[in-house]
Amino acid sequence: EAQVTQNPRYLITVTGKKLTVTCSQNMNHEYMSWYRQDPGLGLRQIYYSMNVEVTDKGDVPEGYKVSRKEKRNFPLILESPSPNQTSLYFCASSPHDRGLVGYTFGSGTRLTVV
Amino acid sequence: GESVGLHLPTLSVQEGDNSIINCAYSNSASDYFIWYKQESGKGPQFIIDIRSNMDKRQGQRVTVLLNKTVKHLSLQIAATQPGDSAVYFCAENINSGNTPLVFGKGTRLSVIA
């Protein structure tokens, strides 16, 4: 089944403890992206990648890192999480870097930083 | 399920009636638009898209209308069903530019059985 897989679905962590949220897609898509979703603010883009070894900042990149060493994987790294990074995170992929055919989203990761 | 948005505009519709969800987009240069549906506990799901050279596109039970003059997009759902209850987002994009999709804040549709 064609899909975007995120792990974990739920995560509670403490301030300052490094964590990684994984994202993998099996559709051979070039474009991958991370979003956070917060009440009243909608979906905001954190980072995106147009292809292997190519990453760019989105609207809210502060406090996050990403890497794209392989086409299928696009992990989101929080080196030192803070409570304002408590949010619902979505990974998405697309076969085109401009979303011409729309994104496929993962099921989300609910992160709580205490 | 996940709480998508506690402060979203909400549209309540009787089962069987038609729904109209509106979206004002921000960039007059945008030339590609998508509607997404997000059910509780799930990621957004593609519904329908439209390019700026069209003003109407129909899918199964859904129609998207585009008015470029006033930068307005709408999603019409015919014969709304309980399974249509979700948050709906519009998204815009500039095909010829190097910009990602920009999402609206969403509208919650509640279907009354």
Side-chain angles (χ1 to χ4, degrees):
Chain A
E1 179 187 355
Q3 60 187 356
V4 175
T5 303
Q6 291 178 233
N7 279 296
R9 286 296 308 273
Y10 301 92
L11 179 60
I12 300 174
T13 190
V14 296
T15 299
K17 185 176 181 182
K18 180 180 177 180
L19 66 91
T20 299
V21 184
T22 63
C23 175
S24 180
Q25 51 94 3
N26 61 0
M27 297 166 282
N28 201 37
H29 286 172
E30 293 84 12
Y31 185 83
M32 297 185 75
S33 180
W34 275 102
Y35 286 85
R36 61 179 289 174
Q37 188 173 40
D38 302 288
L41 298 176
L43 282 158
R44 294 181 293 166
Q45 190 174 52
I46 303 170
Y47 268 94
Y48 63 97
S49 169
M50 293 189 191
N51 216 322
V52 176
E53 301 291 4
V54 180
T55 63
D56 283 291
K57 294 178 180 179
D59 297 320
V60 288
E62 295 77 21
Y64 304 94
K65 286 174 57 178
V66 293
S67 69
R68 190 87 182 274
K69 293 185 172 61
E70 308 162 281
K71 199 172 190 180
R72 64 183 291 124
N73 295 321
F74 190 46
L76 179 69
I77 303 156
L78 284 72
E79 293 273 3
S80 183
S82 61
N84 65 10
Q85 292 178 298
T86 292
S87 187
L88 179 58
Y89 291 87
F90 287 101
C91 181
S93 73
S94 167
H96 195 288
D97 63 5
R98 293 162 192 152
L100 288 178
V101 294
Y103 296 175
T104 300
F105 282 85
S107 297
T109 296
R110 168 66 73 183
L111 173 65
T112 302
V113 183
V114 297
Chain B
E2 303 295 348
S3 172
V4 171
L6 299 178
H7 310 293
L8 293 175
T10 299
L11 174 66
S12 296
V13 175
Q14 203 72 34
E15 181 180 358
D17 287 352
N18 297 335
S19 303
I20 300 176
I21 302 170
N22 296 306
C23 177
Y25 64 90
S26 57
N27 192 336
S28 57
S30 293
D31 54 8
Y32 177 63
F33 306 88
I34 307 175
W35 278 101
Y36 284 91
K37 172 186 180 183
Q38 187 174 18
E39 296 175 273
S40 181
K42 298 182 180 179
Q45 180 182 11
F46 175 91
I47 303 174
I48 191 169
D49 60 357
I50 187 169
R51 298 183 188 279
S52 59
N53 61 354
M54 306 170 69
D55 53 21
K56 180 179 180 179
R57 189 165 188 222
Q58 287 183 292
Q60 188 176 17
R61 272 201 317 116
V62 295
T63 301
V64 55
L65 299 178
L66 175 62
N67 185 331
K68 295 182 286 295
T69 303
V70 294
K71 293 191 289 186
H72 184 267
L73 196 66
S74 69
L75 177 71
Q76 299 178 359
I77 305 173
T80 314
Q81 303 168 0
D84 295 327
S85 293
V87 176
Y88 290 82
F89 296 94
C90 65
E92 59 185 293
N93 181 244
I94 304 173
N95 275 0
S96 56
N98 198 22
T99 57
L101 284 177
V102 175
F103 287 85
K105 292 185 172 43
T107 297
R108 184 185 307 281
L109 175 65
S110 293
V111 181
I112 305 164

